[in-house]
């Protein structure tokens, strides 16, 4: 069984979308994949209760108890590694990860960003898109690298900007697409891995 570990800091709506997709599409039987654990840096993260109700292991690791980002990330990696993850998914995990953590999970660390990267990396994406007069906004799933919001793009969805949109209304429309493409990107990660394994087995 291949394991997914999801990191959250809040309500975890993207985490919930992935878990629901895994249940609906029976990833365990069809892909040999399961969501093994959900970890948060905040004890009050609402998504923890959702995961617990689904029988998924949860842990809290408060970043405020560490002297440095590197110390926190080292302990976080130790806890994540206890679940032997094949993929680590950032789903509203509000921490900038250290290069050491990113390198440790290179090629198996995904993030979702509420813009059409490379446009508008960082924060306040919807406000910035509206200020720039964009006719379209969107969302991107990408591999995580040590440079913020610059990793290889995995999936994108385009969302039209409507007359009278505010940052909040645009964000809500983008969020609906986040819940569509993030599960698809996670599923695709394992489907591609299975194809590669089959090719290697055939070649051998």
């Amino acid at each position: 069984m291949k394991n997914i570990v999801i990191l959250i800091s809040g309500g975890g709506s993207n985490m919930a979308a992935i878990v629901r997709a895994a249940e609906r599409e029976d990833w365990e039987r069809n892909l040999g994949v399961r969501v093994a654990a959900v970890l948060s840096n905040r004890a009050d993260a609402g998504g923890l209760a959702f995961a617990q109700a689904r029988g998924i292991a949860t842990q809290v690791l408060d970043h405020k108890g560490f002297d440095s980002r590197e110390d926190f990330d080292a302990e976080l990696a130790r806890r994540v590694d206890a679940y032997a993850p094949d993929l680590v998914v950032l789903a509203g995990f509000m921490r900038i990860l250290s290069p050491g953590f990113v390198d440790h999970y290179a090629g198996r660390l995904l993030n979702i960003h509420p813009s059409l990267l490379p446009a508008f990396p960082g924060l306040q994406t919807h406000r910035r898109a509206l200020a720039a007069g964009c006719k379209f906004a969107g969302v991107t799933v990408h591999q995580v690298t040590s440079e913020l919001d610059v990793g290889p793009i995995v999936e994108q969805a385009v969302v039209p900007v409507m007359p009278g949109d505010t940052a909040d209304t645009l964000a809500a429309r983008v969020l609906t697409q986040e819940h569509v493409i993030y599960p698809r990107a996670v599923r695709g990660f394992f489907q591609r891995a299975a194809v590669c394994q089959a090719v290697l087995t055939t070649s051998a």
Side-chain angles (χ1 to χ4, degrees):
M1 186 66 63
K2 296 184 182 302
N3 291 329
I4 302 167
V5 174
I6 304 178
L7 307 184
I8 65 171
S9 291
S13 68
N14 274 309
M15 174 272 295
I18 292 167
V19 170
R20 289 189 179 109
E23 292 172 345
R24 184 174 62 251
E25 299 166 8
D26 199 353
W27 288 3
E28 288 199 29
R29 182 171 64 86
N30 294 322
L31 295 174
V33 172
R34 65 172 182 163
V35 178
V38 173
L39 278 66
S40 177
N41 64 313
R42 295 177 57 95
D44 61 353
L48 292 171
F50 175 91
Q52 290 162 0
R54 294 303 203 277
I56 299 170
T58 62
Q59 288 194 40
V60 175
L61 183 64
D62 189 344
H63 62 276
K64 295 190 293 293
F66 294 82
D67 293 332
S68 69
R69 178 179 292 126
E70 289 75 16
D71 288 345
F72 170 76
D73 283 3
E75 177 60 19
L76 179 62
R78 188 186 71 79
R79 297 196 183 197
V80 169
D81 283 349
Y83 299 98
D86 295 274
L87 181 66
V88 179
V89 176
L90 307 180
F93 189 62
M94 304 306 290
R95 297 282 301 168
I96 295 176
L97 296 167
S98 62
F101 187 94
V102 172
D103 289 346
H104 183 64
Y105 298 106
R108 53 191 177 118
L109 182 60
L110 293 182
N111 185 43
I112 192 162
H113 182 76
S115 79
L116 290 172
L117 293 174
F120 309 119
L123 301 176
Q124 303 294 328
T125 57
H126 307 301
R127 180 185 61 77
R128 291 157 62 197
L130 292 172
C134 292
K135 301 301 182 185
F136 295 94
V139 57
T140 304
V141 178
H142 65 95
Q143 293 185 22
V144 178
T145 64
S146 56
E147 190 173 355
L148 185 66
D149 297 333
V150 173
I153 292 170
V154 177
E155 293 269 359
Q156 287 187 310
V158 177
V159 176
V161 176
M162 307 300 290
D165 256 340
T166 65
D168 287 341
T169 60
L170 181 56
R173 198 177 310 111
V174 168
L175 186 61
T176 64
Q177 292 304 306
E178 293 181 34
H179 295 166
V180 172
I181 74 165
Y182 216 178
R184 189 167 70 206
V186 172
R187 182 178 65 244
F189 175 89
F190 289 102
Q191 288 172 330
R192 288 190 296 274
V195 169
C196 290
Q197 183 61 46
V199 170
L200 289 173
T201 301
T202 302
S203 299

